Amino acid sequence: MMFPWKQIVLLSITGCLADVIFQGPRWRTAPSDLILPINSPDQQATIVCEAEGSPPPQYWSLNGTLIDLGNDYRRHMSGGSLIISNLDKDQDTGEYQCTAFNTWGSILSRRASLQFADLDNFKTQTVRSAVNVREGQGVVLLCGPPAHSGLAFAWIFNEYPYFVQQDSRRFISQETGSLYIAKVEPSDVGNYTCVVNNTVTREKVLSSPTPLVLRIDVMGEYEPKIEVHFPDSVPAAKESVVKLECFALGPVPEISWRRTSGVPFPNKVKMKNSNGVLEIPNFQQEDAGTYECTAENRRGKNAARGRISFHKPHWLQTMTDTALSIEENLFWECKANGKPKPSYSWLKNGEQGRVQIENGALSIAALNLSDSGMYQCVAENKHGIIYSSAQLMVLSPPSFSKSPLRALLKARSGSEVTLECKPQASPPAISLWKKGNEILQRTEITLLPNGTLKIANVTRRDAATYTCIAKNQFGTASTTGRLLITEPTRITMRPTNMEIIVGESIVLPCQIACDPALDVSFSWAFNGQLIDFQRDSNHFERVGGPPGPPDKVSVEEITDSTAQLSWTPGRDNGSPITGYIIQGRTPFTVGWQAVDTPEVVNGNMLTATVVGLNAWVEYEFRVVARNAVGLGEPSPASAKTRTEDAPDTAPTDVGGGGGTKSELVITWEPVPEELQNGEGFGYIIAFRPVGTVTWTRAVISTTGVARYVFRNDTIPPFSPFDVKVGAYNNRGEGPFSSIASVYSAEEPSVAPKRVRARSVSAAQIEVIWEALPAIPERVLGYEVVYWEDDTKPDTVGKVRISGNYTLVNITGLKANTVYYLSVAAFNTAGPGPQSAPINTTTKKPPDRAPLNIQWTMIGSTLTLHWDPVVAMETESKVTGYLQVLLKRHRYNDINTILTNKTTAELSLSTNDNYLIQIKATSDGGDGVGSEPIHIHKLMGARGSGASAFSPLYLSAVLISALLCSIWCL
């Protein structure tokens, strides 16, 4: 069950979702894999990790364990990136991951591996043996590089800088590093050296030379022998670059490629190195499949094939930043593809959260504020792991229900006072403080980042009512407390040493000076033990007592900020009255509180002037007497009296915008009742086009209204206006707000062009138009209006489509009818100008009956055959055929049978007469019925015949009505 106040909050939140700004961390640059030489010259590695938001990433982990950067002299951070000095293969090899966070939550980066490339063994290989080959024979020269990624290969012929040039006869595999020569020629004889380049470290090493020696005999020609080909199964990652190699030995073959599915290659696919390399950039799902390489020469051909498929996980569906209100339910689903099928897990701020997971979907029921944060969907298989992140913002207006200010806070003069402002709100609220009715400027106060107000070395000038106001885009809340500054209590007359005779009575004095706002109590001790005056009343007695309550307190005169009071004294109870304290209360204060007077009210005064009152507030006053013993009982309250004044507070948060065509909408935050200062309160709205001098004014006399709409056909759409709002009451006008800039309604100013329409069927028309170019006004979508009679455009139907779509289908139309159509863009101000009308005619039902109807009757079974009906261009497509049976006996029965074939088999009763008719059906209605076939009482008869039929499409009720009107005799 949802309480009414929560429903109101949720409704107010729903209307403000468009204003939500998601500010959780986002990856600008996530870590990438690194391959480093073991003996790097600078002995330093940087793993880059940059995030949007503040502060930058703070945590790094290696192989799942948090790195203690404070106690690690080799590793430190710079702007979020991890810098590792004095690299160590054993300690630094592994998978790194960084965490980014801010006040909205935290996210994990993808994992990045750090590996070390060791090419030293390649340098120290022994002398390579010569390779003997016949002229015309194919040969493979092995490179034998170390096993790690990030290498590129080339070959030197005889001496540097003469590199082997690849062509249709020579090929260097970037997978194996080997050199392939399809058909050796005498010019190929020489020394071949393999060059290995580390593409990451730019390190280069050379193998020992391999001599190629030509034998005396010559090799005959043979069919291509494919030596370089890709595996049967090629793993690929989404958006990666996939390269397939294919090369054959033998009389120089021609290499060609194809997909076994027959789908042609898109333009992005490139053939390189005489078609020896097929390159697929930005690999996508539609690129997966089986690829075939064919090598062909004059002696024959051979082929090799393999399948490219996604192995590493890649996203098919991810979640997006979402804002929901309290108690709503969250459902997020992410989907990934990969081989094997990925498994899913979910993280909240980098850890497992209050979630329910099923088949990769996350759900949270009845959201609360603690559910806000950064969420990540993690998809993983044995080939890799991927992360997708989104922010969940659980929205609520500010509330001080759990952390209000204390109604009354007393502080000693000279001390430090802390007033906390801790509203619950999402997004976090912006806070400001008011002292009385004045907003405290940040230059005047010490305001901590969390909204706490600190006042050091307080004095009586700091005594006031303080209000913390918290606001976000979903609402405003405030909490108020009164700060009372008191002077220290001190004893002005104390007991002194005395010598007395046993049996005599003595009086020991005790007089104090204290702040009037403090309640004082007295206690006595004898030899350090408190005296119990009730138990020892025969020996100890208090002398004197607090005064009685004053009486007849009345307000003689009242203004906007002062009140003149008078009263009669009460009993002094044996101790002269030394002064009076004036107290007051209003509907906006918590209990009675001391009020200010220009001078101290001594015991001889029976009148006083109260100052510092708020205008247009209802007050009550009472008086408390004080003597040397303490404060007495308060007087009865005076009659309620209201102060008056013209408004002294202007409306805040003046803004507006939106509205419908030719409107200027102005909004503001209403002035609270306690600041309206008098009867007859209302608002004055002033506005003018930007750049002009003269203000237009309007008056609203309703206090609760916070919106004004000015309508005028001359207002241009999306035009800026200067706007200000003031307040008034019966005593005069108050100040105006500061000037705000507000735009008039943003009605689209141009009509769509190139509007076209075509009839899809008897009940549907497709409308297409050209999207509007960029205009100052927003376009939220398009509206299509249509009508039947061009002389009566009032009979209009409308279809709206939101977004930047430029096609819509209008359904539910009449068959064979001319429709006129026009298109307009729309936004919050409504539709803009309409395009010029166009017209099109809906299709009609098929106008022909089925032909060449053949029927055969054997026993009680009737078999029917007929030719199909083909619809004309202006007719709806035939969707089937309808057999209508009228059973002729005492009561006529009509049955219908629908089929999409051109044959039917019916089982008839032998005791009835029948009329049978066939009609074609379409989405535009029914066609013409055939001539009825008459079947008389069968009695086991056999027979056959021919007739001509046609199409129909009606509901059973309409068919029954139609046939009864034709056949019922």
Side-chain angles (χ1 to χ4, degrees):
M1 176 180 177
M2 188 180 296
F3 294 104
W5 70 267
K6 291 186 177 179
Q7 292 176 332
I8 294 172
V9 169
L10 295 184
L11 287 173
S12 65
I13 288 175
T14 304
C16 300
L17 292 181
D19 298 330
V20 173
I21 299 176
F22 296 96
Q23 296 176 311
R26 297 287 186 275
W27 291 119
R28 183 182 295 117
T29 305
S32 299
D33 296 341
L34 281 181
I35 302 175
L36 301 174
I38 287 183
N39 298 314
S40 177
D42 55 7
Q43 285 294 298
Q44 180 173 289
T46 300
I47 307 178
V48 177
C49 186
E50 297 179 350
E52 297 175 355
S54 179
Q58 295 291 320
Y59 303 121
W60 278 91
S61 63
L62 172 59
N63 298 327
T65 302
L66 189 67
I67 300 174
D68 185 0
L69 295 174
N71 297 316
D72 192 333
Y73 74 94
R74 293 192 309 110
R75 299 185 180 109
H76 68 278
M77 286 177 57
S78 175
S81 298
L82 180 67
I83 299 176
I84 308 173
S85 305
N86 302 321
L87 292 167
D88 184 282
K89 179 179 180 182
D90 295 329
Q91 296 185 50
D92 298 328
T93 299
E95 285 193 332
Y96 289 80
Q97 191 173 34
C98 65
T99 303
F101 71 92
N102 60 18
T103 56
W104 299 92
S106 59
I107 53 174
L108 299 179
S109 73
R110 66 170 176 246
R111 299 172 185 173
S113 65
L114 175 59
Q115 298 177 329
F116 290 86
D118 183 3
L119 299 179
D120 290 342
N121 293 336
F122 188 66
K123 297 178 183 178
T124 58
Q125 288 181 340
T126 57
V127 175
R128 300 191 176 193
S129 302
V131 175
N132 295 283
V133 65
R134 291 182 288 175
E135 182 182 348
Q137 184 180 358
V139 70
V140 180
L141 301 182
L142 303 179
C143 180
H148 64 77
S149 58
L151 301 181
F153 303 95
W155 283 81
I156 295 174
F157 180 53
N158 287 333
E159 62 182 13
Y160 182 83
Y162 297 103
F163 285 91
V164 175
Q165 302 299 313
Q166 298 187 74
D167 51 26
S168 60
R169 194 172 63 86
R170 290 169 293 190
F171 181 79
I172 300 173
S173 171
Q174 296 303 315
E175 296 290 335
T176 65
S178 299
L179 169 62
Y180 300 81
I181 303 176
K183 182 181 179 182
V184 174
E185 299 175 352
S187 60
D188 295 324
V189 173
N191 291 323
Y192 290 84
T193 302
C194 181
V195 182
V196 182
N197 293 278
N198 187 322
T199 58
V200 177
T201 64
R202 306 301 182 186
E203 183 183 16
K204 180 189 296 183
V205 293
L206 280 66
S207 71
S208 303
T210 299
L212 180 64
V213 179
L214 197 64
R215 292 165 55 179
I216 298 176
D217 52 335
V218 178
M219 180 75 175
E221 293 187 344
Y222 54 94
E223 68 179 16
K225 180 183 178 184
I226 296 180
E227 284 290 338
V228 181
H229 59 82
F230 45 97
D232 293 338
S233 179
V234 180
K238 188 176 182 180
E239 299 179 354
S240 64
V241 177
V242 178
K243 295 182 180 180
L244 305 179
E245 294 184 339
C246 183
F247 192 76
L249 305 183
V252 181
E254 181 180 339
I255 306 296
S256 62
W257 295 84
R258 75 180 187 97
R259 295 182 68 169
T260 58
S261 64
V263 177
F265 293 134
N267 292 334
K268 69 178 180 179
V269 173
K270 302 174 183 176
M271 308 289 184
K272 297 183 177 180
N273 299 345
S274 300
N275 288 359
V277 177
L278 175 72
E279 182 177 300
I280 309 172
N282 190 27
F283 194 82
Q284 300 294 325
Q285 180 71 47
E286 60 268 20
D287 298 321
T290 301
Y291 287 73
E292 183 180 81
C293 158
T294 301
E296 183 175 8
N297 61 19
R298 56 180 171 267
R299 287 294 181 180
K301 66 179 179 179
N302 272 310
R305 65 175 56 179
R307 181 172 182 81
I308 309 178
S309 59
F310 285 110
H311 283 61
K312 292 183 178 180
H314 64 276
W315 292 119
L316 300 177
Q317 176 182 331
T318 59
M319 65 283 193
T320 58
D321 293 337
T322 301
L324 295 173
S325 55
I326 292 176
E327 296 187 355
E328 281 195 281
N329 299 328
L330 171 70
F331 180 82
W332 263 336
E333 186 174 20
C334 62
K335 294 180 182 178
N337 199 2
K339 190 175 182 181
K341 186 177 180 180
S343 60
Y344 300 94
S345 60
W346 285 82
L347 302 174
K348 178 195 174 186
N349 296 329
E351 301 176 350
Q352 297 291 339
R354 184 179 77 92
V355 299
Q356 180 179 346
I357 304 172
E358 185 176 350
N359 296 327
L362 173 145
S363 60
I364 305 177
L367 290 169
N368 57 51
L369 285 179
S370 65
D371 292 318
S372 293
M374 296 299 302
Y375 288 77
Q376 289 181 283
C377 180
V378 185
E380 181 176 13
N381 66 13
K382 65 182 181 180
H383 298 291
I385 181 171
I386 53 177
Y387 297 80
S388 174
S389 62
Q391 182 179 352
L392 171 63
M393 192 181 296
V394 181
L395 305 172
S396 73
S399 170
F400 287 99
S401 59
K402 294 186 178 180
S403 55
L405 282 176
R406 288 171 54 184
L408 179 62
L409 178 64
K410 296 179 180 179
R412 180 172 51 83
S413 178
S415 65
E416 181 179 85
V417 174
T418 299
L419 301 176
E420 291 186 336
C421 184
K422 293 183 176 180
Q424 284 189 306
S426 179
I430 299 173
S431 300
L432 60 86
W433 284 89
K434 289 175 66 176
K435 179 181 179 183
N437 295 326
E438 298 294 328
I439 295 178
L440 292 174
Q441 303 300 320
R442 290 181 177 267
T443 56
E444 304 172 340
I445 56 175
T446 301
L447 187 62
L448 302 183
N450 63 0
T452 295
L453 175 64
K454 277 195 172 184
I455 309 174
N457 193 24
V458 295
T459 66
R460 282 190 174 274
R461 292 194 303 272
D462 297 313
T465 297
Y466 288 83
T467 301
C468 178
I469 303 172
K471 181 176 183 179
N472 64 14
Q473 55 263 56
F474 304 116
T476 303
S478 64
T479 180
T480 301
R482 182 174 177 82
L483 176 61
L484 184 63
I485 308 301
T486 63
E487 296 297 331
T489 301
R490 55 190 178 86
I491 297 177
T492 58
M493 182 179 292
R494 66 187 65 226
T496 58
N497 295 331
M498 301 176 66
E499 292 184 1
I500 59 171
I501 300 172
V502 174
E504 288 186 355
S505 297
I506 61 170
V507 176
L508 301 178
C510 182
Q511 295 185 11
I512 63 169
C514 70
D515 193 287
L518 296 178
D519 295 329
V520 180
S521 61
F522 293 84
S523 61
W524 285 84
F526 176 55
N527 292 333
Q529 298 293 320
L530 287 176
I531 298 173
D532 187 338
F533 287 97
Q534 290 184 344
R535 187 185 62 186
D536 299 328
S537 60
N538 60 342
H539 190 63
F540 296 102
E541 179 185 4
R542 278 196 176 99
V543 178
D551 196 13
K552 298 180 180 178
V553 179
S554 63
V555 180
E556 304 293 339
E557 184 180 347
I558 193 163
T559 68
D560 60 331
S561 61
T562 66
Q564 182 70 40
L565 305 183
S566 66
W567 62 91
T568 59
R571 297 170 59 89
D572 63 11
N573 292 330
S575 180
I577 295 174
T578 57
Y580 292 96
I581 298 171
I582 314 299
Q583 296 177 337
R585 71 177 177 186
T586 74
F588 311 106
T589 60
V590 180
W592 292 93
Q593 298 178 5
V595 294
D596 295 330
T597 57
E599 56 186 353
V600 176
V601 183
N602 61 43
N604 298 322
M605 299 172 62
L606 297 178
T607 62
T609 301
V610 177
V611 297
L613 303 181
N614 291 326
W616 193 239
V617 175
E618 193 174 65
Y619 281 91
E620 294 177 276
F621 299 98
R622 72 181 186 183
V623 181
V624 180
R626 179 180 63 222
N627 63 11
V629 178
L631 294 176
E633 291 295 320
S635 71
S638 69
K640 295 179 180 179
T641 310
R642 187 183 294 271
T643 54
E644 294 185 354
D645 191 15
D648 56 8
T649 302
T652 58
D653 292 342
V654 175
T660 58
K661 178 181 178 180
S662 302
E663 286 186 350
L664 174 66
V665 179
I666 302 169
T667 61
W668 60 90
E669 184 74 19
V671 175
E673 182 182 353
E674 63 268 27
L675 301 179
Q676 293 177 4
N677 294 7
E679 295 181 349
F681 182 83
Y683 298 100
I684 304 170
I685 299 93
F687 53 93
R688 66 185 180 189
V690 170
T692 63
V693 177
T694 304
W695 293 92
T696 300
R697 288 166 58 106
V699 175
I700 293 179
S701 59
T702 307
T703 59
V705 172
R707 185 174 185 267
Y708 173 74
V709 179
F710 175 68
R711 296 180 179 87
N712 192 305
D713 292 339
T714 63
I715 296 179
F718 209 56
S719 178
F721 282 77
D722 292 331
V723 172
K724 61 182 180 179
V725 181
Y728 72 93
N729 63 18
N730 289 344
R731 295 182 66 91
E733 294 185 6
F736 274 92
S737 67
S738 56
I739 296 176
S741 182
V742 176
Y743 282 81
S744 60
E746 48 180 341
E747 172 199 356
S749 56
V750 295
K753 297 180 179 179
R754 294 177 59 82
V755 179
R756 304 178 300 281
R758 71 179 184 91
S759 176
V760 178
S761 69
Q764 182 175 332
I765 292 175
E766 180 185 79
V767 186
I768 305 174
W769 60 91
E770 190 176 82
L772 288 182
I775 58 177
E777 309 85 39
R778 290 185 302 172
V779 173
L780 299 181
Y782 295 89
E783 177 181 272
V784 180
V785 297
Y786 57 96
W787 61 96
E788 295 180 30
D789 189 344
D790 196 33
T791 64
K792 298 179 180 178
D794 295 337
T795 58
V796 171
K798 294 182 181 180
V799 175
R800 273 196 174 187
I801 181 169
S802 298
N804 200 29
Y805 297 99
T806 58
L807 181 148
V808 71
N809 284 310
I810 302 174
T811 59
L813 305 176
K814 298 178 184 178
N816 197 26
T817 303
V818 177
Y819 283 93
Y820 297 84
L821 308 105
S822 184
V823 184
F826 74 86
N827 57 22
T828 56
Q834 293 183 347
S835 65
I838 60 172
N839 67 78
T840 189
T841 303
T842 52
K843 295 185 178 181
K844 61 183 179 180
D847 201 20
R848 290 167 310 288
L851 300 177
N852 297 327
I853 300 174
Q854 304 290 328
W855 62 271
T856 303
M857 191 75 185
I858 301 177
S860 62
T861 302
L862 175 67
T863 303
L864 298 166
H865 297 271
W866 59 89
D867 288 347
V869 176
V870 179
M872 304 291 289
E873 179 66 26
T874 59
E875 296 175 342
S876 293
K877 182 180 178 181
V878 175
T879 59
Y881 299 89
L882 195 69
Q883 299 102 52
V884 184
L885 285 77
L886 174 63
K887 187 184 295 185
R888 302 290 299 275
H889 54 101
R890 183 176 180 183
Y891 300 102
N892 291 336
D893 293 335
I894 296 177
N895 294 319
T896 60
I897 301 171
L898 184 65
T899 179
N900 58 4
K901 300 177 181 178
T902 57
T903 181
E905 190 173 272
L906 308 176
S907 183
L908 306 180
S909 171
T910 59
N911 298 320
D912 293 310
N913 297 324
Y914 291 88
L915 292 178
I916 300 173
Q917 187 180 42
I918 300 178
K919 305 179 181 184
T921 65
S922 74
D923 62 359
D926 58 303
V928 179
S930 68
E931 290 292 332
I933 298 174
H934 296 263
I935 305 294
H936 299 285
K937 293 182 180 180
L938 303 178
M939 299 298 188
R942 295 174 61 89
S944 62
S947 183
F949 286 46
S950 98
L952 163 73
Y953 185 75
L954 288 176
S955 69
V957 175
L958 290 176
I959 290 170
S960 299
L962 175 63
L963 293 179
C964 280
S965 67
I966 296 174
W967 289 345
C968 293
L969 303 176

